[in-house]
Amino acid sequence: MVDSSIGGKTAIDTAAGKNLIGAFWQPEKIYIDLSFLNSLPTREFINGIAEVIKTAAIWDADEFAALEKYAQPLMKAISTPPGERNDRLLEVKTILKRIVLGSVRVKAHVVSADEREGGLRNLLNFGHSIGHAFEGILTPQILHGECVAIGMVLEANLARYLGVLKGSAVSRLVKCLKSYDLPVSYLDPMVQERSGRKECTTEALLSIMAVDKKNDGRNKRVVLLSGIGRTHEMKASIVTDQDIRVVLSSAIRIYPLDSTNLVTVCTPPGSKSISNRALVLAALGHGPCRITNLLHSDDTDVMLRALTDLQCAKFEWENEGEVLVVIGKKGQMQATAKELYLGNAGTASRFLTAVATLARAEKATSTFLTGNKRMKARPIAPLVDALRLNGASIDYVENEGSLPLRIEAFGGFEGGDIDLAATVSSQYVSSILMCAPYAKNSVTLRLSGGKPVSQPYIDMTIAMMTSFGIDVTRSTKEAHTYHIPLGEYQNPPEYHIESDASSATYPLAVAAITGTTCTIPNIGFASLQGDSRFAVDILKPMGCQVQQSRTSTTVTGPQRGLLRSIARVDMEPMTDAFLTASVLAAVAHNNSGSSSTTKILGIANQRVKECNRIRAMKDELAKFGVTCRELESGIEVDGTKPSHITQPPEGVECYDDHRVAMSFSVLALALSKPTIIRDRDCVGKTWPGWWDSLARDFGVHLEGADLNIVNVRSRRMSEDVCQSLFIIGMRGAGKTTVGGWAAKMLGWPFVDLDSQLEVEANCTIPELIRSKGWDHFRSVEISLLKKSMAEKPTRHLFACGGGIVELLEPRQLLVRYREAGGLVLLVHRDIEDNMSFLEQDKTRPAYVEDMRGVWLRREPWYNECSNYEYFSPKSDAMPLARPPKELQRLLNAITCQRNHVDHLKTKRHSFFVSLTVPNIMGALPSLDEVLVGSDAVELRVDLLDDPNASGGLPTARFVHDQLTLLRRGTPLPVIFTIRSQCQGGKFPDDAHNQYRSLCRLAFRLGVEFLDIEIRYPETFLNAITRCKGRTKIIASHHDPEGTLSWSDGSWVPYYNKALQHGDIIKLVGLAKSQDDNTKLDVFRSWALSAHDRPIIAVNMGVAGQLSRIQNSFMTPVSHPSLPFKAASGQLSAAEIRVALSLHGAIKPQRFFLFGKPISASRSPAIHNALFEAAGLPYKYDLYESDSIGELGKLLHSEDFGGASVTIPLKLEIMQLLDEVSNDAKLIGAVNTIIVDTSRKSISGSRNFLIGQNTDWRGMRLILKRAGAQNTQGLAGLIIGGGGTARAAIYALNKLGCAPLYLIGRAREKLEKVIKDFPEIYQLCILSTLDDAEHLTHVPCVAIGTIPAEKPIDPMVEKILKRVFELSSIVAKRKPILLEMAYNPRTTALMKLASDSGWDTIPGLETLGGQGFYQSELWTGITPLYSTVSAAVFGGEK
C-alpha cells in the first residue's frame, strides 16, 4: 500500500510487458491508517514486509538494522491471525510506525527526485528484476513479496559474484528475510509445495527478464548492492546474461583451468567448527564479545536463531555484518515453545541438545529440537543416553536415537561422573564439555569405547574454553578422561575466528591438481583445527611443495598430471578432508610401476554426515571411470592419468552435501572437458561464495547449467537406484518364504542373514549362543547387518533374525536406513498360527518367555523400524511354491516397477471405477465385469461394513483383508479412499485419529494411490503426506452442496492447497445447470496451462454428466453391476466412450482380418462384440486376400486402426511394416498389426505400423486358465514343426517349461526349428519309441499343431501314445493338451490324449485367447474373457 500510493503511477500490463501503459500523477498528501494492518492475514502481512526490507537494503542501513532487531516481536504479533485479537499489533505499534514512515520517506524522496524514471527510481526495483521473472511463472500460488524476496537474494548473490558485495552483507540479507519467514530460494519447501513444484528454468526466467522497462535495449539492468543500505550505482547496472545465468542455474559447468603459472591468495570463510563453538561459549559467557570472521552459512544461521529463541544472549551486528557482538547472559536462558528447526546442521543439533538442558521453565517447560529428513536419520543416542543418566529428561518424539527431541527445562544437568560413548562423533564430547561449567556439580567426563573419533576437535573445544576462562584438566591417571570445574565463562573483548581448515583444503587442492600456487593467509601450524595438517600430511607426500608458518600455508602443485598416490593414510584427525584427498587420489599415479592405489582409513564416521560420504565418493568417482572400493573404515581409490578420466554427461550428484560439491569442483579443473556439478547451492552450508572464489581468485571459467531445478535438491542416493529390501518380523512369520518369493519376482539375490551368520560362524545359532552367549550373538548379528547395508545397498533382499529389534543399535540402523529411503518390510502373521509353526521348529533357540509377550514387546519396534508390511497367509492356506498376487502387487509398488501416473498421462482418456460394496468378497464374482475399461479401482473404505467395527469405523485388519482380496482379484492399481460425511461419504467428520491411522496403513501396504481430503488442517495433512513413501497422493475436495463456483475464484484456494499436497488434484463440484460445466471446463484449462499436475475436475448431479465426459484424466466411473453410484451423475466408462464418440472426440476406426480363406472366421464376432461392450465406434471386417500387394493403401488410410493376419500372409506382411516385435521375429510370423500415430511411418504416412504375434499369448492364456500354473522347470511337448509350432515353443518357454520335446513326421524340419531357437529353450526331438521310453522329464503341458483333417502319422502316434501314458503315470499333476486345430471339435489328437488321462482344450479357445490380446493392444482396454468366449462359441460351449 505504501509503495503504490506514493509512486504516483497508475499503469496496466500488456502482452509486451508489465506496467507499460499508464500515467504519472504525484499525490499531494498520503494518509496512513495503521489499524488497517490489523485486517491483514499473516501471509499477506509478511508479503508486504518484503518490500520494506528491500527499501532498507538499498537506502538505509540503520532501518535495516532495526528490521533485524525487531524481527522477533514483529513476527510474534504478525503471526497472530486477524480476528483473534483486535489489538494484535498494539505491542509493536511504535515499531510499525517507524517502519512505515521510513519506507514512505525513502519512496517519496526517490519518486520526487526522479519522477520520470531517469535511473534513480530504478533502485526501488532491487529484487524485482529476477523476482518479477519468478512471479511471472509462479503466480498466483506464490505472492509478489515472496518472489521479490527470492529475487533480492539472487541479485545480492549476483553482486557478490561480480565482486561488488561482501558475503557478510548477503548473509545479513538472507538472515533478515528468513527472520520474517520469507523464502530465500526457489527451492524453499514452502515455495515448492505451494507452487506444486512448478519448474522455473533459467531460460524461462531470462526470457521474462528481457521484457523489463529498466533494460538498455538487449542489455539487462539489475540493481546491485555494494553494502547494506547502499547500491553499487545510483541506478540499475548492466549485467550480462552469462553472469545472470551462473546465479540462476541449479547446476554449474566448470571448465578446466589452463593457467600453470598462477599464484594466488585465497581466504576461506571462518571455520564452521570454531564459529559454532564461539557462538555457544560467548552466549553462555558473561559480558560482550566482538566476534570477527564468523562464518556466514546455513549452519551458523541455524545456531544463531536457536540461541536467540532460547534467549541465551543478545546479538548485534557491527561494521556491515563483519563483526557480531554477543552479549552473554552467564548461562541464563529460557525454554521456548517455538520449534527449533535445525535443518541438516549436525553441529548445531549436537551442541544444542546439551545447551537446552540448561534452560529454565518460564513461558515453556521444554524445548523441541528437530531437523530435516537427513538430520532425523543421523544418530544422537550416545549423547542423549549420557545426559539422561545425568538427570536430564529428554524424549525421542519420533524415532529412537534421532531427532526430533523434546528436552525438559532442567536448569543444568547434575554433573559429577559422566560416561559417554565417543566413537561415533566428537561433537557429543564437545557438547557436554562446553555446558559442563553450568552443571550442578563439577564434571568428570569419561569417554568409553576406545579411542575417541576426531580427537583434534575435542582438543579445539578445550582450547577455546580456556580462551573463555574455563580450564579443562585432562586426567593423567585415566585415559580419555577430563575434569571440568564449575564456573562462568568470561567473554574476551574480541575473538577472531580463523578460516575453516576443512574449506581451505579445496583451494590448496586446486593448486595441487593444476600445478599452480595458492596461499591461505590465516591458517598455519598453530591452528586449532586438525585439517590444518592436510597440506603437510597429504599434499606433500603427493608431490607438492608446502610452506607453512604459524599463521599461513602455501602450496605449489607438481607439474600437471604428476601427483603421486599414497599407499596408506590415516585421516582420522581430519576426516572431513578425505573427500578432497579422494579426488586428488583419482588422478594420482606412479610411473615407477608401483601401485597407484591410495588407501584412506579412519573415516568411518563419514557415513553418518550430510550423506553417506564414502559411498557417495565411490559412486560419483565411478562416473568418471575411477575405480574405488568401500572399506569398513575408509576407501581405496585407484589413481589414473587425468587424460584417462571421462566426464559424466549427467554431471556430479552432490546429495545436498557441500563437501561433495567442492571436492568434485577441484577434480573438474584438471580434466580435458567441462564438468557439471549439480545442486550448486549446497555449498552455502560452509562457503556460500565458493563459486565466486573459483572465478575471482583462480580465474576459472564458469557457466550456469540449466538442469531440472525442481528435482535437483529432492534427488537422493536412495532414489537413483532401487534400494535393497530388509525383511523383519517374528521367527515363523514367513520371512524366508516371502524373501524367496520376492527374489523370484524381482530377480534380486536373497540372503537369509541367520543362515549367513551360521556360515560365517561355522556353527548353528544355538551352538553359538551356548558357547559364547547372547551378547556375542547379538554383536555378530549387528555387524552382519551393518556389513550387508554397506556392501549391498541396492537390489538385494535380506531376511533378518526375529530378535534384530531387541537392541537399540540395530533399531537405529534400520530406522536410519528407512528414513534415507531404504525399504524395510515387516512380515507378520496371526500369532496363533505363528506359535503353532514354532512348536515344530527346533533349528533356532527356544523362546525363554511367553511368545505372545515377546510379540507385544517387539510390535512397536517392528513398526518403528519398517515402512511397509505384509501379512503372510496362513501356513496351510496355499501352496508355498505359488507367490500370492497381493505380494507381487506390494513389491511392484514399493520398488517402483511402474509409474502409474506417467502411464495414465499417456492415455487420451483414463478412468477409475468406484467400488460401492460393503465387502469385497461379495463383489469378486462380478469384479472382472465391473472393471472392464477402467485403469484403476477405488476401494471406498468408508463404505465397507466391518462386522467387528466399533462406532461404524472399520478395523485396520478388516481393511487390510479387503485390500488383499481386491489385489488378488485384479491387477489394476488401487485408489484407497476414506470419504468423510461432509465430502459426500460415510466416514465420521471428527474421526481424525482413525483417518490418520488408516492413511498410514495404506502407505504401509504400498497402495498405489491414496485419496486425501484437503479439508484437514495443514499440520494434519503434512503429518500424513510426509509418510507417503512410493504412494501417489490424490488431493481432493468435494463440494456436495454447491457452495463454490468455478468462475468466481472460490475454487482457487482449494486448487492451490491440493497442488501443495497432491501428486494428482481432484476437485468435485455440483452442477445446477449446463453453464456450470462450461465454467468448469474453463477452470480446468487454466489449471492445466498453469501447472503440469494431473487434475480430475468434475461436477456432481445429472446436470454435471457432461463434465465427466469432458474430463480426460482418471474420470471416476460406476458400473451397472454395482449396488449404487458413488456420486450422483456418475456414468460408466462405456457410456462416456459412447458420448465421446458422438462428440467426435473418439473417431471411428476400421479393423480387418487379412488372409485367405477366412469366410468362416469368428474374429469379426469377437472384436465387434468387444468394441460394442467398450463403447467404441470401431468396426471389424474381413479382407480376404492371399497377396500383400493390394494392402498398402488400406494400411495407411486415415481410419485404419489395426488388423489380424492369418495364412498365407503372416510372414510376407512384414515387408509392409515399420517395426516387428522380437517375439514375432523369432516365431517368424506376424498375426497382429498395431498403429502408432505418435511416430511417422517410413512411408511418410501418419500410421506407424508395428507387427506383433499374439498366437503365443493366446496359447499361454488358455493354458493358464486351464490350470497350467507354476510350470517353471516342468517339461513341455510340441506336436508338429510348422509355423504354429514355433509360436507354441515360444508360449511354453514363457510358461517356464523346460526341456521342450518336439514330435513330428519330418525330422529335418524339426531340426531346422531347433536351429532357429536359442539353446536356452532346451529343445529335444523325440523320433523313436526308445526316445519316449528314456525321457529325463515327462511333459505335463502339450500343444498340438498338426492338421486335424489328416490321419496322425503311425510312428508319431505310437510315440505320442507312450509319452501320454508315461506322463499320466509319472507326472505329479494332471497333464494338459491344447489343440490348435479348430475342426472337428474333438480331434484325433485330443482323443489320443484324453484316452491316456490328459485334459484337453479345443482349438477355438486359442482363437479367443489371441483375440483377447489383439483387442487389448488395439484399444488399451483389457476385455472381459467371457465376452470373448461367448463370441467364439456362440453359446454352444
Side-chain angles (χ1 to χ4, degrees):
M1 296 295 291
V2 164
D3 191 62
S4 61
S5 299
I6 301 172
K9 178 175 64 178
T10 301
I12 61 171
D13 297 347
T14 74
K18 185 178 176 69
N19 294 343
L20 288 188
I21 297 177
F24 294 94
W25 194 265
Q26 296 294 354
E28 294 184 11
K29 291 183 179 180
I30 300 295
Y31 293 89
I32 300 170
D33 182 2
L34 288 180
S35 63
F36 170 78
L37 297 176
N38 255 321
S39 66
L40 282 180
T42 299
R43 187 181 177 202
E44 279 68 20
F45 205 127
I46 292 171
N47 178 51
I49 289 287
E51 292 283 357
V52 176
I53 294 173
K54 171 210 73 177
T55 304
I58 62 169
W59 202 264
D60 195 326
D62 290 339
E63 286 302 309
F64 192 91
L67 287 169
E68 292 174 308
K69 181 178 180 180
Y70 297 127
Q72 194 168 22
L74 278 171
M75 282 303 295
K76 182 180 178 182
I78 294 169
S79 298
T80 303
E84 283 191 13
R85 283 175 49 201
N86 292 328
D87 61 344
R88 66 174 178 144
L89 305 179
L90 184 62
E91 295 177 7
V92 293
K93 186 175 181 179
T94 303
I95 302 172
L96 280 175
K97 182 178 179 181
R98 172 179 174 169
I99 288 172
V100 172
L101 289 176
S103 295
V104 169
R105 196 175 297 112
V106 174
K107 180 87 176 192
H109 170 75
V110 171
V111 300
S112 298
D114 184 18
E115 183 176 342
R116 301 295 175 176
E117 300 207 14
L120 180 64
R121 193 163 177 157
N122 291 167
L123 299 185
L124 298 173
N125 289 125
F126 172 56
H128 287 60
S129 297
I130 294 176
H132 276 165
F134 278 106
E135 189 178 5
I137 298 173
L138 301 177
T139 187
Q141 283 76 32
I142 307 303
L143 304 179
H144 170 78
E146 294 165 347
C147 292
V148 168
I150 296 169
M152 282 192 277
V153 173
L154 288 169
E155 291 179 20
N157 284 339
L158 180 60
R160 186 190 61 203
Y161 177 72
L162 294 172
V164 301
L165 183 67
K166 292 182 178 180
S168 57
V170 179
S171 179
R172 282 185 70 193
L173 178 64
V174 169
K175 289 173 188 172
C176 187
L177 291 167
K178 282 183 175 180
S179 68
Y180 288 95
D181 287 348
L182 282 161
V184 295
S185 166
Y186 163 57
L187 295 173
D188 184 284
M190 180 275 283
V191 176
Q192 288 290 291
E193 289 172 8
R194 291 187 183 276
S195 69
R197 288 177 165 73
K198 193 171 185 180
E199 189 172 2
C200 295
T201 66
T202 301
E203 295 310 314
L205 294 168
L206 286 170
S207 176
I208 297 172
M209 289 178 68
V211 187
D212 190 318
K213 59 183 180 294
K214 297 190 306 295
N215 290 346
D216 182 9
R218 291 192 174 185
N219 296 321
K220 294 182 175 63
R221 287 188 177 274
V222 178
V223 177
L224 301 177
L225 291 183
S226 60
I228 296 298
R230 64 179 188 272
T231 56
H232 176 56
E233 298 182 86
M234 293 305 286
K235 61 182 178 180
S237 303
I238 293 177
V239 184
T240 67
D241 278 9
Q242 179 176 317
D243 290 333
I244 297 172
R245 189 176 279 108
V246 168
V247 172
L248 290 183
S249 297
S250 61
I252 199 158
R253 183 178 287 107
I254 304 174
Y255 282 77
L257 183 61
D258 294 330
S259 176
T260 56
N261 56 1
L262 176 74
V263 178
T264 189
V265 176
C266 181
T267 304
S271 162
K272 181 183 76 168
S273 301
I274 297 177
S275 291
N276 276 314
R277 284 165 172 81
L279 287 173
V280 171
L281 292 171
L284 294 177
H286 178 215
C289 177
R290 301 175 81 255
I291 299 177
T292 57
N293 199 37
L294 182 76
L295 173 66
H296 293 283
S297 73
D298 297 344
D299 275 25
T300 52
D301 288 351
V302 163
M303 181 67 85
L304 267 172
R305 286 201 305 272
L307 293 173
T308 300
D309 290 335
L310 289 168
Q311 299 179 50
C312 289
K314 291 182 179 180
F315 300 96
E316 295 177 0
W317 291 100
E318 291 181 352
N319 194 19
E320 297 187 354
E322 294 294 307
V323 177
L324 177 67
V325 180
V326 182
I327 303 173
K329 293 185 179 180
K330 301 185 290 186
Q332 301 297 311
M333 67 190 76
Q334 298 177 21
T336 175
K338 182 178 179 181
E339 178 183 284
L340 300 186
Y341 178 76
L342 309 178
N344 198 18
T347 306
S349 69
R350 275 73 180 264
F351 288 1
L352 289 169
T353 297
V355 169
T357 66
L358 306 180
R360 301 184 185 278
E362 292 190 20
K363 295 181 180 180
T365 59
S366 64
T367 300
F368 186 86
L369 302 185
T370 188
N372 66 8
K373 184 176 180 180
R374 176 61 187 168
M375 195 65 248
K376 290 181 180 182
R378 296 174 70 175
I380 201 166
L383 176 58
V384 171
D385 290 345
L387 291 171
R388 279 176 168 177
L389 291 171
N390 205 246
S393 177
I394 304 176
D395 294 325
Y396 294 113
V397 178
E398 292 179 12
N399 299 317
E400 192 84 5
S402 302
L403 266 60
L405 301 176
R406 179 168 282 107
I407 304 170
E408 293 298 317
F410 194 60
F413 43 86
E414 292 296 330
D417 290 351
I418 299 178
D419 291 323
L420 174 67
T423 55
V424 176
S425 173
S426 63
Q427 291 169 357
Y428 303 154
V429 184
S430 295
S431 181
I432 291 179
L433 282 172
M434 288 190 292
C435 294
Y438 296 94
K440 294 169 183 175
N441 298 284
S442 60
V443 172
T444 295
L445 178 62
R446 294 184 178 85
L447 308 184
S448 59
K451 181 183 178 183
V453 69
S454 303
Q455 180 67 44
Y457 287 98
I458 299 174
D459 297 339
M460 174 195 295
T461 302
I462 293 171
M464 290 183 67
M465 289 172 68
T466 299
S467 298
F468 281 80
I470 296 293
D471 292 320
V472 177
T473 305
R474 188 165 185 168
S475 174
T476 57
K477 298 179 180 179
E478 299 178 76
H480 314 307
T481 300
Y482 301 90
H483 303 292
I484 307 99
L486 297 180
E488 289 180 0
Y489 291 117
Q490 299 300 312
N491 285 342
E494 292 190 3
Y495 191 88
H496 181 75
I497 309 289
E498 66 180 49
S499 286
D500 186 71
S502 297
S503 296
T505 65
Y506 307 117
L508 294 177
V510 170
I513 207 168
T514 60
T516 58
T517 299
C518 177
T519 296
I520 306 297
N522 60 350
I523 297 178
F525 61 75
S527 170
L528 295 174
Q529 303 170 77
D531 289 16
S532 62
R533 297 285 304 169
F534 181 79
V536 174
D537 293 350
I538 305 297
L539 298 183
K540 192 171 184 179
M542 296 187 89
C544 298
Q545 297 177 27
V546 176
Q547 294 177 314
Q548 193 168 55
S549 70
R550 182 177 179 81
T551 56
S552 70
T553 302
T554 299
V555 168
T556 301
Q559 185 178 340
R560 192 180 296 241
L562 296 183
L563 280 175
R564 297 192 299 267
S565 61
I566 307 175
R568 178 188 177 96
V569 57
D570 183 356
M571 295 192 70
E572 193 273 333
M574 49 180 128
T575 54
D576 282 350
F578 102 86
L579 299 92
T580 321
S582 295
V583 296
L584 296 177
V587 292
H589 62 99
N590 299 324
N591 294 322
S592 60
S594 59
S595 172
S596 293
T597 297
T598 295
K599 180 184 286 188
I600 301 172
L601 301 173
I603 57 169
N605 70 327
Q606 294 292 303
R607 288 193 174 92
V608 290
K609 293 289 186 175
E610 282 78 351
C611 68
N612 182 336
R613 286 176 171 168
I614 299 176
R615 190 196 304 171
M617 294 306 291
K618 174 178 175 290
D619 291 347
E620 297 309 307
L621 282 171
K623 294 179 181 178
F624 290 83
V626 177
T627 300
C628 302
R629 288 167 293 281
E630 192 172 344
L631 308 175
E632 186 175 349
S633 67
I635 189 171
E636 280 186 338
V637 182
D638 292 345
T640 187
K641 295 180 179 179
S643 59
H644 294 171
I645 299 283
T646 57
Q647 280 101 333
E650 73 278 12
V652 176
E653 182 62 64
C654 299
Y655 313 106
D656 196 17
D657 192 322
H658 53 130
R659 303 214 181 278
V660 175
M662 289 189 278
S663 295
F664 278 97
S665 69
V666 171
L667 178 62
L669 301 179
L671 306 182
S672 58
K673 296 178 181 178
T675 301
I676 293 175
I677 305 293
R678 305 176 70 95
D679 193 10
R680 46 153 287 160
D681 288 339
C682 67
V683 299
K685 187 176 179 69
T686 49
W687 197 340
W690 167 243
W691 309 117
D692 313 343
S693 293
L694 270 184
R696 189 170 57 251
D697 297 335
F698 291 93
V700 176
H701 177 57
L702 304 174
E703 287 181 357
D706 197 10
L707 303 178
N708 185 334
I709 193 169
V710 176
N711 293 324
V712 167
R713 270 278 171 90
S714 61
R715 280 168 57 99
R716 292 292 181 267
M717 203 179 316
S718 60
E719 297 170 0
D720 293 341
V721 290
C722 204
Q723 298 286 80
S724 292
L725 173 63
F726 286 82
I727 303 172
I728 63 174
M730 293 285 284
R731 178 158 35 103
K735 299 190 298 295
T736 302
T737 300
V738 169
W741 285 335
K744 290 181 181 178
M745 294 172 180
L746 299 174
W748 296 1
F750 172 58
V751 179
D752 184 312
L753 291 179
D754 275 353
S755 300
Q756 181 67 23
L757 188 152
E758 290 182 331
V759 169
E760 294 185 9
N762 199 28
C763 64
T764 67
I765 289 175
E767 290 171 345
L768 181 65
I769 293 171
R770 282 195 297 270
S771 62
K772 297 191 176 181
W774 276 99
D775 288 346
H776 177 78
F777 163 67
R778 291 296 183 209
S779 175
V780 174
E781 187 180 42
I782 293 168
S783 296
L784 185 56
L785 178 63
K786 287 180 179 177
K787 178 181 175 184
S788 302
M789 287 180 170
E791 296 182 357
K792 296 170 182 173
T794 61
R795 297 186 179 277
H796 279 73
L797 291 152
F798 299 94
C800 302
I804 194 73
V805 297
E806 288 285 356
L807 297 180
L808 176 61
E809 185 178 359
R811 291 203 302 272
Q812 289 176 338
L813 287 170
L814 290 167
V815 167
R816 286 197 289 271
Y817 182 76
R818 167 179 65 77
E819 289 280 358
L823 307 175
V824 183
L825 176 66
L826 168 60
V827 173
H828 54 123
R829 62 156 49 107
D830 180 79
I831 193 68
E832 301 299 334
D833 190 31
N834 215 5
M835 292 175 68
S836 174
F837 171 80
L838 288 177
E839 288 175 359
Q840 307 166 35
D841 181 16
K842 306 301 181 187
T843 64
R844 294 290 184 267
Y847 284 104
V848 296
E849 56 183 302
D850 172 58
M851 183 181 165
R852 191 181 302 277
V854 174
W855 163 249
L856 291 174
R857 183 179 71 250
R858 292 179 180 175
E859 183 182 18
W861 294 335
Y862 284 138
N863 288 326
E864 173 195 7
C865 293
S866 59
N867 44 5
Y868 297 101
E869 67 180 85
Y870 173 70
F871 203 92
S872 289
K874 194 172 173 64
S875 53
D876 58 355
M878 60 179 63
L880 293 182
R882 182 178 176 185
K885 292 181 181 178
E886 67 271 19
L887 177 61
Q888 177 77 69
R889 295 288 301 283
L890 172 64
L891 293 173
N892 286 347
I894 69 178
T895 58
C896 298
Q897 297 297 304
R898 186 177 195 183
N899 188 317
H900 294 285
V901 175
D902 287 349
H903 171 67
L904 291 171
K905 285 168 71 173
T906 64
K907 307 188 76 167
R908 289 188 61 193
H909 302 97
S910 56
F911 308 91
F912 71 85
V913 64
S914 304
L915 295 183
T916 55
V917 295
N919 193 309
I920 298 299
M921 181 65 77
L924 288 177
S926 60
L927 191 61
D928 286 344
E929 180 185 2
V930 167
L931 298 180
V932 169
S934 289
D935 304 282
V937 55
E938 182 179 43
L939 177 64
R940 282 290 299 270
V941 176
D942 57 300
L943 300 179
L944 295 176
D945 185 9
D946 181 359
N948 298 315
S950 173
L953 300 176
T955 60
R957 180 58 192 273
F958 180 77
V959 173
H960 171 276
D961 291 346
Q962 293 291 293
L963 178 62
T964 298
L965 286 171
L966 184 56
R967 281 178 158 171
R968 288 177 185 172
T970 176
L972 292 180
V974 174
I975 301 170
F976 190 99
T977 299
I978 315 161
R979 186 70 62 232
S980 60
Q981 292 167 344
C982 69
Q983 297 278 289
K986 292 182 64 176
F987 201 80
D989 291 338
D990 58 354
H992 290 197
N993 290 336
Q994 293 89 338
Y995 184 94
R996 182 168 48 213
S997 296
L998 287 172
C999 288
R1000 183 174 182 271
L1001 175 67
F1003 293 144
R1004 289 181 63 78
L1005 297 177
V1007 298
E1008 290 84 356
F1009 298 97
L1010 173 66
D1011 182 302
I1012 290 184
E1013 297 174 351
I1014 59 171
R1015 70 183 183 90
Y1016 291 101
E1018 290 282 351
T1019 53
F1020 184 86
L1021 292 173
N1022 289 332
I1024 293 175
T1025 56
R1026 73 165 60 106
C1027 304
K1028 74 173 193 171
R1030 307 290 201 271
T1031 298
K1032 299 299 182 183
I1033 300 295
I1034 301 175
S1036 70
H1037 185 73
H1038 293 65
D1039 178 28
E1041 302 300 323
T1043 58
L1044 303 175
S1045 170
W1046 297 106
S1047 60
D1048 67 0
S1050 55
W1051 269 106
V1052 171
Y1054 296 96
Y1055 172 82
N1056 289 342
K1057 194 171 181 180
L1059 182 69
Q1060 181 177 342
H1061 294 285
D1063 301 292
I1064 297 168
I1065 298 167
K1066 183 185 180 189
L1067 305 176
V1068 182
L1070 177 67
K1072 298 170 184 175
S1073 69
Q1074 290 302 311
D1075 191 42
D1076 290 325
N1077 298 322
T1078 303
K1079 293 174 181 176
L1080 185 152
D1081 202 35
V1082 172
F1083 182 93
R1084 185 192 298 112
S1085 298
W1086 165 79
L1088 291 173
S1089 65
H1091 293 89
D1092 184 26
R1093 185 68 54 90
I1095 182 171
I1096 306 164
V1098 297
N1099 280 324
M1100 291 182 282
V1102 174
Q1105 288 181 332
L1106 177 59
S1107 71
R1108 298 179 183 274
I1109 296 166
Q1110 293 171 326
N1111 186 76
S1112 61
F1113 182 82
M1114 288 187 78
T1115 304
V1117 297
S1118 186
H1119 192 276
S1121 298
L1122 291 170
F1124 58 90
K1125 295 180 178 180
S1128 173
Q1130 267 192 353
L1131 302 167
S1132 70
E1135 287 173 326
I1136 292 177
R1137 289 194 184 94
V1138 169
L1140 289 168
S1141 302
L1142 293 173
H1143 281 78
I1146 299 179
K1147 296 181 179 180
Q1149 290 186 340
R1150 294 186 299 160
F1151 297 79
F1152 299 93
L1153 170 62
F1154 299 147
K1156 188 175 183 179
I1158 57 174
S1159 59
S1161 173
R1162 301 292 298 165
S1163 291
I1166 295 171
H1167 291 296
N1168 287 324
L1170 294 176
F1171 293 155
E1172 182 180 0
L1176 293 168
Y1178 299 164
K1179 185 72 187 306
Y1180 187 101
D1181 288 316
L1182 300 178
Y1183 193 103
E1184 191 161 30
S1185 175
D1186 57 4
S1187 169
I1188 64 170
E1190 55 193 85
L1191 298 181
K1193 185 176 180 180
L1194 178 59
L1195 290 171
H1196 292 285
S1197 61
E1198 188 173 344
D1199 62 350
F1200 176 73
S1204 311
V1205 184
T1206 189
I1207 55 174
L1209 303 178
K1210 286 189 170 186
L1211 180 59
E1212 193 179 359
I1213 196 72
M1214 292 186 187
Q1215 301 172 41
L1216 302 180
L1217 305 179
D1218 297 289
E1219 183 179 289
V1220 177
S1221 64
N1222 291 331
D1223 55 355
K1225 288 178 183 177
L1226 184 58
I1227 293 168
V1230 165
N1231 82 321
T1232 306
I1233 299 174
I1234 305 164
V1235 177
D1236 182 357
T1237 56
S1238 68
R1239 293 190 278 176
K1240 194 171 183 180
S1241 171
I1242 53 175
S1243 67
S1245 87
R1246 62 182 289 277
N1247 293 347
F1248 187 92
L1249 303 174
I1250 304 171
Q1252 291 210 6
N1253 188 294
T1254 63
D1255 287 332
W1256 73 268
R1257 295 177 187 271
M1259 297 176 193
R1260 184 180 63 173
L1261 174 66
I1262 301 307
L1263 285 168
K1264 280 190 168 185
R1265 289 178 62 86
Q1269 305 278 357
N1270 301 314
T1271 52
Q1272 190 75 32
L1274 301 178
L1277 174 66
I1278 298 94
I1279 303 123
T1284 307
R1286 300 171 73 90
I1289 292 170
Y1290 199 92
L1292 292 183
N1293 173 263
K1294 286 297 181 182
L1295 278 172
C1297 295
L1300 299 178
Y1301 298 115
L1302 304 181
I1303 298 178
R1305 188 177 50 182
R1307 183 180 178 90
E1308 63 279 5
K1309 193 174 182 180
L1310 299 181
E1311 288 174 344
K1312 184 179 183 309
V1313 170
I1314 291 177
K1315 187 176 179 181
D1316 290 342
F1317 280 85
E1319 291 184 4
I1320 196 172
Y1321 280 66
Q1322 299 183 46
L1323 297 173
C1324 311
I1325 299 174
L1326 303 181
S1327 55
T1328 67
L1329 273 175
D1330 189 57
D1331 291 341
E1333 291 289 352
H1334 295 89
L1335 289 176
T1336 55
H1337 301 80
V1338 294
C1340 65
V1341 184
I1343 301 178
T1345 68
I1346 58 177
E1349 65 273 13
K1350 297 179 181 179
I1352 302 174
D1353 179 87
M1355 177 53 70
V1356 169
E1357 184 175 10
K1358 288 179 182 178
I1359 297 171
L1360 282 172
K1361 186 176 181 181
R1362 186 57 184 151
V1363 171
F1364 287 156
E1365 289 171 349
L1366 285 171
S1367 294
S1368 295
I1369 296 168
V1370 177
K1372 297 180 181 179
R1373 56 199 298 168
K1374 193 164 187 180
I1376 302 171
L1377 167 72
L1378 172 61
E1379 171 63 282
M1380 293 301 297
Y1382 299 167
N1383 292 308
R1385 177 66 184 269
T1386 302
T1387 65
L1389 180 61
M1390 292 170 67
K1391 188 174 186 310
L1392 188 65
S1394 61
D1395 287 347
S1396 296
W1398 282 54
D1399 284 340
T1400 60
I1401 308 169
L1404 275 176
E1405 288 278 9
T1406 309
L1407 176 63
Q1410 65 176 336
F1412 177 94
Y1413 285 111
Q1414 284 178 334
S1415 182
E1416 187 176 56
L1417 289 169
W1418 290 333
T1419 67
I1421 298 170
T1422 302
L1424 188 64
Y1425 188 79
S1426 61
T1427 305
V1428 177
S1429 185
V1432 170
F1433 292 99
E1436 67 182 63
K1437 186 177 178 181

